[in-house]
Amino acid sequence: MYIPKPHTLQHKFLAGLAVAVIGLGGLFATVLYMHLRTVLEEEVHAKARLVFSQIDAIQGFVREALRPRMLETHPGEFIIEAMSSSYISRQVMDRMDNDGAGHIYRRVAMGARNPAFEATPHERGLISHFRLHPEQSLWTGYDTVGGQQYYVIARPVAFAAPCMTCHGDPADAPPQLVEMYGDRGFGQELDAIAGLDYVGVPVSDAVSHLRQSITTYFAFLIVCALIFFSSANVVFRVLVVRNLRRLTGVFRRTLGDGGDRPAALIARLEQGDEIEELVDGIEQVAHHLADARARLQSYADNLRQMVDERTAELSREAGERRADVDLFVKLFEDMRGLRTREKLWRYALPQVARRFGARRIAYVCTFASHNFYAWPERDRRPDLPVPLAAVLTGGCALLSDASIFVPVEAQAGAAEGLLCLEWDDADDAARQNLDVLAALGRQLGTVAENLSALDRLMRHMDVLQSVFEGIRDPLALVDGSGSVIIANEGARRLSLELSGGSAPSGDLLAALRGGGAGGNGDGARAGASMPAPAQGAESREVVLPGGRSFMVNLYPLARGADEPGRAAVYVRETTLEKRMFAQVSQSEKMVTVGKLAAGLAHEINNPLGVILCYAELLRRNTGDVQQQADLDVILRHTRQAQRVLRDLLNFARPKAAGVAPADIARVARSVAEVFGVQAAKKFATVTADTEPDLPPVTAGEQALEQIFSNLVLNALDALPASGEGRVRIRVRRGENPGEVVATVADSGTGVPEHLRKDVFDPFFTTKEMGTGLGLAVVYGLVVDAGGSVTAGDSAELGGAEFTVRLPVVGAVCPTPPAGPVPLSLPILGAASPGRPPNSPPGPAAACPADSAAPIREE
């Protein structure tokens, strides 16, 4: 059979495209068919497994629930409809098959009890297969039953121990089974594979539908291919064939009158494949162009000599211009290190003279000083042209015999000097380019003017640098991102100090931000929220964890709209000022307390003593119960008033701390033991945990007792009323070898964070009946001993925790932290003549021995 071969480019293109589409379509149809068949098999396999799961559920329910229940209800009987798992599963699956789904379920065996469930030859073969391969639990495949194709899953059935009752020895089987089936179905062996479960799912319809879908797809592919071929034919004709024909027309029009050779070329273009013939045509055109090039070469040879001459001239000019450029570049590169006009002319004059081949060169300043610089004869002043003003204001170089005079000017018409170049021959001078020399004079004038401005700027910079470094407070100039541009010695010293010696750059914002990270956060906030240079000046206080405080001032500097912002950062330390203000404030408080204490001691203390004395006498002499109760109220409130007055006096006139070293651990244990009885009444405990061999501290035992007593009393008052509270005293060595740390913690409500800065102030209290002087007395005693006390939270007990740091004997006392510092008032602390300080005076009246003595203030 003859198959015509396509000759045109369009036919070849369509034939190849058809082969590619048919091949890809067939391949895709085959892959799609295999994929859909695999999906069908997975779906059918899942359905069969679902049937097996249903069968297992039914049989498990019969064995585990229904059969035991039947044996309990009907002992000794065997009801096959309720107790045989095989019988029930078959009945259920047969009923499920009645819904028209077409599923097949068979539970068969070799030597089955019911002949209807005897294994067929095919099923016997499967049982033999499972016996030969006991590790295989499933068999899948296709089977034809009744002229319809099924997907089959079979699994072996082995006789387990519970099955041997009904399938083992007939003597052990229920009598009902023996009467119903005789000897059939007995004699099976334990764990022997004698049957199988057989599930078949119909797939004939699905496979038929699958093939129909593939056929439909292939038909649709053919239709789409025809549409695609038609579209491709039109597009190819428009985009390719038309352009090829236009190109052929061009060849006809341009080569039609060229003789026999072009005519033969046109004849070949009109036959066969367009591309192949076009390639041949282009090769022929190339040969034709080669001939034309050979003819043109003869014409070009006549022009070569003229081009070579012009090229040599241009090369010479280019060399001169290159030398000029090199001179300009070298001058500007080497002048960056010059700082004065004299150095400029001493360096530039020899370079210019060598470039232009001048015998002598000189510069004369005609503006003010009339100084001149010459090379190589430095002592001879050159002769200036006449008239001089015309040359200086003309802005152009002047040729005069063998000399050229070039005005040196930064601006047109404002020359400040004259550059004089001399040659041995006037022809050498005439060959020079006056425009280049005039440009050189303008550049030298610009450089000279810049050097003058730079010299003035450097002088101003030196003055400003001296002023900048003379400021003792930290000062730095930063850009918009906070990076340091310049910093004085104070800024570098402060940043080095705050960074621990790692950052001596003078970056004040970074140093304060890092230093404030562990404190109250003010340092971090100040560094992070400083305003941009366009927002105006701002001041902010920064407090570091160690108590040091700084006032940070930011002054933005005005810049152009497109220029990056800058700001001046000025830092002033205010630690000593704050401490002084705190001391002054505390001193005013102490003066007020002292005056109040003196007035109370004179006006109230003696009447209170008289009231207390006579109330006690009345209480002893009366027998009326009601009167005694009323007198108890009087006595209780009178003693409360005396305690308030005593606390006030103790605060205004603290007890002498003593100079003898004290064992803080022993004092802590003693206070815990004393207050343990009072704590037991509230169902609470007071414990003391001390490290062994603690060094003695600088505070005396009497001061330590008062410190621990006030702290423990406050802790007991803060415990909840429900009982089972805890107060813990812990004494240990501090992180600093020269100090001992004591903490008093409780399980109470704690101290709110916003009140911790006020708890040590006089008269500040959160108790209903408190005086607000206990913690103030503690603060004064601790600070007098060279230590510190702070309030916080107890992570272990959940309440408040007061931390007391005291220096050991012989250690250097640290600087007290910023805050209220109680000042001693000698006039209030003076003792009366003839008795020790702070000792109560004798009674004002004859009182019973067990009554409290009144306090008097002299």
Side-chain angles (χ1 to χ4, degrees):
M1 180 179 180
Y2 173 73
I3 301 176
K5 181 180 179 181
H7 292 285
T8 65
L9 179 63
Q10 182 176 2
H11 293 163
K12 290 182 179 180
F13 172 74
L14 293 178
L17 191 62
V19 173
V21 170
I22 293 173
L24 292 176
L27 178 62
F28 183 75
T30 303
V31 173
L32 180 62
Y33 175 77
M34 295 175 62
H35 173 69
L36 294 178
R37 188 176 182 88
T38 302
V39 173
L40 176 62
E41 291 180 0
E42 292 178 355
E43 181 179 358
V44 172
H45 186 77
K47 290 182 180 179
R49 293 297 297 265
L50 182 61
V51 173
F52 277 138
S53 300
Q54 183 178 0
I55 294 170
D56 293 340
I58 294 171
Q59 293 179 355
F61 177 74
V62 172
R63 287 193 297 267
E64 299 173 5
L66 188 57
R67 185 184 296 171
R69 182 62 177 170
M70 292 299 295
L71 291 176
E72 180 181 354
T73 307
H74 303 281
E77 297 185 18
F78 187 82
I79 304 173
I80 192 170
E81 291 82 355
M83 303 176 68
S84 175
S85 60
S86 299
Y87 180 85
I88 294 174
S89 61
R90 290 192 184 101
Q91 293 296 322
V92 172
M93 297 307 296
D94 290 342
R95 292 176 182 273
M96 186 184 74
D97 190 44
N98 292 334
D99 60 359
H103 297 82
I104 297 176
Y105 170 72
R106 286 175 56 80
R107 184 180 178 85
V108 299
M110 299 175 61
R113 179 172 285 124
N114 191 339
F117 304 116
E118 182 68 28
T120 64
H122 176 66
E123 294 168 346
R124 288 177 177 271
L126 292 176
I127 294 174
S128 301
H129 173 77
F130 285 124
R131 288 178 177 177
L132 293 175
H133 303 85
E135 73 281 356
Q136 188 172 354
S137 60
L138 285 178
W139 180 89
T140 59
Y142 290 93
D143 194 7
T144 303
V145 179
Q148 187 176 3
Q149 191 176 12
Y150 287 85
Y151 182 82
V152 176
I153 297 181
R155 66 178 182 180
V157 176
F159 289 94
C163 302
M164 299 307 296
T165 303
C166 299
H167 297 277
D169 191 354
D172 298 333
Q176 292 81 356
L177 286 179
V178 178
E179 293 175 2
M180 187 179 301
Y181 297 106
D183 294 335
R184 291 183 60 84
F186 293 102
Q188 302 293 342
E189 297 180 1
L190 181 64
D191 297 331
I193 299 175
L196 56 84
D197 286 330
Y198 182 94
V199 174
V201 181
V203 296
S204 299
D205 296 340
V207 172
S208 177
H209 180 70
L210 178 62
R211 291 172 179 170
Q212 183 179 0
S213 299
I214 296 300
T215 304
T216 304
Y217 161 75
F218 200 74
F220 178 73
L221 178 63
I222 292 175
V223 174
C224 292
L226 293 176
I227 298 174
F228 176 71
F229 290 154
S230 301
S231 302
N233 185 23
V234 174
V235 174
F236 190 82
R237 180 181 296 274
V238 173
L239 297 180
V240 179
V241 176
R242 180 184 297 177
N243 292 327
L244 289 176
R245 290 179 178 175
R246 289 176 58 191
L247 185 59
T248 304
V250 172
F251 278 109
R252 288 194 187 97
R253 290 192 300 271
T254 56
L255 302 177
D257 299 331
D260 296 336
R261 188 172 182 180
L265 175 60
I266 294 174
R268 293 184 60 184
L269 289 175
E270 294 176 348
Q271 299 176 358
D273 187 351
E274 291 87 343
I275 296 296
E276 295 177 357
E277 299 301 332
L278 186 60
V279 170
D280 293 337
I282 291 176
E283 291 179 354
Q284 296 298 326
V285 171
H287 292 302
H288 181 71
L289 293 177
D291 295 339
R293 180 181 179 183
R295 290 192 298 269
L296 291 175
Q297 185 67 31
S298 61
Y299 298 109
D301 292 338
N302 298 326
L303 299 176
R304 182 172 301 172
Q305 183 176 1
M306 294 184 295
V307 171
D308 292 340
E309 294 176 358
R310 182 58 181 166
T311 302
E313 183 179 356
L314 292 177
S315 299
R316 182 181 59 79
E317 294 180 359
E320 293 179 355
R321 300 292 82 78
R322 188 181 301 109
D324 295 336
V325 173
D326 293 340
L327 174 63
F328 278 78
V329 172
K330 181 174 179 58
L331 288 177
F332 285 126
E333 286 183 352
D334 296 341
M335 287 178 185
R336 290 181 298 178
L338 303 178
R339 289 293 181 268
T340 63
R341 286 170 174 260
E342 180 180 0
K343 292 182 179 180
L344 168 65
W345 298 117
R346 297 297 183 193
Y347 174 79
L349 292 180
Q351 304 292 335
V352 176
R354 294 190 187 99
R355 159 62 189 90
F356 295 102
R359 175 178 58 82
R360 185 173 183 274
I361 187 173
Y363 167 77
V364 179
C365 180
T366 61
F367 182 70
S369 62
H370 297 284
N371 293 331
F372 75 95
Y373 305 93
W375 182 88
E377 301 173 7
R378 298 185 178 182
D379 55 346
R380 184 170 69 85
R381 185 183 182 90
D383 298 330
L384 299 180
V386 179
L388 180 61
V391 179
L392 295 176
T393 58
C396 299
L398 174 64
L399 174 63
S400 177
D401 294 333
S403 301
I404 295 179
F405 301 95
V406 181
V408 177
E409 57 184 7
Q411 297 179 359
E416 64 175 28
L418 203 62
L419 192 64
C420 305
L421 293 93
E422 298 177 3
W423 285 266
D424 295 331
D425 190 356
D427 293 336
D428 295 334
R431 284 195 295 267
Q432 305 302 323
N433 192 322
L434 299 182
D435 293 334
V436 173
L437 289 173
L440 177 62
R442 287 192 293 270
Q443 294 299 326
L444 291 174
T446 302
V447 172
E449 185 177 10
N450 291 338
L451 285 178
S452 299
L454 180 62
D455 182 64
R456 291 191 298 270
L457 180 62
M458 293 301 296
R459 294 178 185 273
H460 289 298
M461 285 292 296
D462 292 339
V463 174
L464 292 177
Q465 183 69 25
S466 301
V467 175
F468 187 76
E469 291 293 341
I471 299 175
R472 300 184 60 84
D473 289 334
L475 182 63
L477 180 65
V478 300
D479 58 14
S481 62
S483 301
V484 176
I485 299 175
I486 185 173
N488 67 352
E489 179 62 26
R492 294 191 294 271
R493 185 171 58 251
L494 179 61
S495 64
L496 183 66
E497 178 184 353
L498 295 181
S499 63
S502 62
S505 62
D507 193 347
L508 299 175
L509 298 180
L512 294 174
R513 186 185 305 117
N520 56 8
D522 290 343
R525 289 195 298 270
S529 63
M530 280 299 178
Q535 293 178 348
E538 181 176 336
S539 298
R540 180 164 299 178
E541 185 180 19
V542 177
V543 181
L544 301 185
R548 298 181 66 181
S549 60
F550 298 87
M551 182 61 66
V552 182
N553 302 278
L554 190 68
Y555 302 98
L557 303 179
R559 305 274 289 178
D562 298 333
E563 297 180 356
R566 292 184 178 182
V569 180
Y570 172 68
V571 177
R572 183 173 59 87
E573 185 169 2
T574 59
T575 305
L576 297 179
E577 295 180 11
K578 292 182 66 177
R579 290 179 181 174
M580 180 185 67
F581 290 151
Q583 291 177 355
V584 171
S585 176
Q586 185 67 13
S587 176
E588 293 177 353
K589 294 179 182 179
M590 294 296 294
V591 170
T592 304
V593 172
K595 293 180 180 179
L596 180 62
L600 291 176
H602 180 71
E603 300 294 338
I604 298 177
N605 194 36
N606 288 336
L608 286 178
V610 175
I611 293 172
L612 184 65
C613 181
Y614 282 96
E616 186 66 30
L617 292 175
L618 290 175
R619 185 176 178 278
R620 287 176 174 273
N621 295 329
T622 184
D624 190 352
V625 178
Q626 181 63 38
Q627 291 181 0
Q628 288 187 351
D630 295 339
L631 290 172
D632 287 337
V633 174
I634 296 175
L635 291 172
R636 183 169 63 255
H637 286 280
T638 304
R639 291 192 179 96
Q640 174 65 23
Q642 281 190 330
R643 280 195 297 271
V644 172
L645 186 60
R646 183 180 299 109
D647 291 341
L648 189 61
L649 290 175
N650 288 336
F651 173 72
R653 187 184 57 194
K655 298 179 181 179
V659 295
D663 186 353
I664 188 173
R666 184 178 61 79
V667 174
R669 292 192 296 268
S670 175
V671 171
E673 181 179 357
V674 170
F675 284 95
V677 179
Q678 181 178 348
K681 296 179 181 180
K682 300 182 64 174
F683 302 99
T685 59
V686 179
T687 59
D689 180 14
T690 60
E691 287 187 3
D693 301 329
L694 287 174
V697 297
T698 55
E701 289 191 5
Q702 188 177 2
L704 291 175
E705 289 177 358
Q706 193 168 358
I707 291 170
F708 282 122
S709 298
N710 285 331
L711 294 178
V712 172
L713 282 174
N714 283 347
L716 291 175
D717 292 340
L719 294 179
S722 58
E724 299 182 359
R726 294 178 58 192
V727 178
R728 184 200 64 204
I729 304 175
R730 177 176 292 174
V731 185
R732 66 185 186 280
R733 289 178 174 84
E735 297 82 359
N736 183 4
E739 68 177 8
V740 173
V741 179
T743 59
V744 178
D746 60 73
S747 59
T749 57
V751 180
E753 186 174 359
H754 66 279
L755 297 180
R756 293 175 188 171
K757 61 182 179 60
D758 301 324
V759 294
F760 297 105
D761 289 343
F763 308 113
F764 179 83
T765 181
T766 58
K767 303 177 185 178
E768 295 181 359
M769 298 298 292
T771 61
L773 297 173
L775 291 179
V777 172
V778 170
Y779 190 94
L781 293 174
V782 171
V783 172
D784 286 344
S788 64
V789 57
T790 57
D793 293 332
S794 174
E796 181 179 350
L797 300 183
E801 183 177 67
F802 289 86
T803 303
V804 178
R805 299 178 181 271
L806 292 172
V808 301
V809 175
V812 178
C813 296
T815 303
V821 180
L823 302 176
S824 60
L825 300 178
I827 189 170
L828 296 179
S832 299
R835 55 185 177 91
N838 293 296
S839 61
C847 298
D850 57 349
S851 62
I855 301 176
R856 295 185 58 192
E857 182 65 27
E858 299 295 332

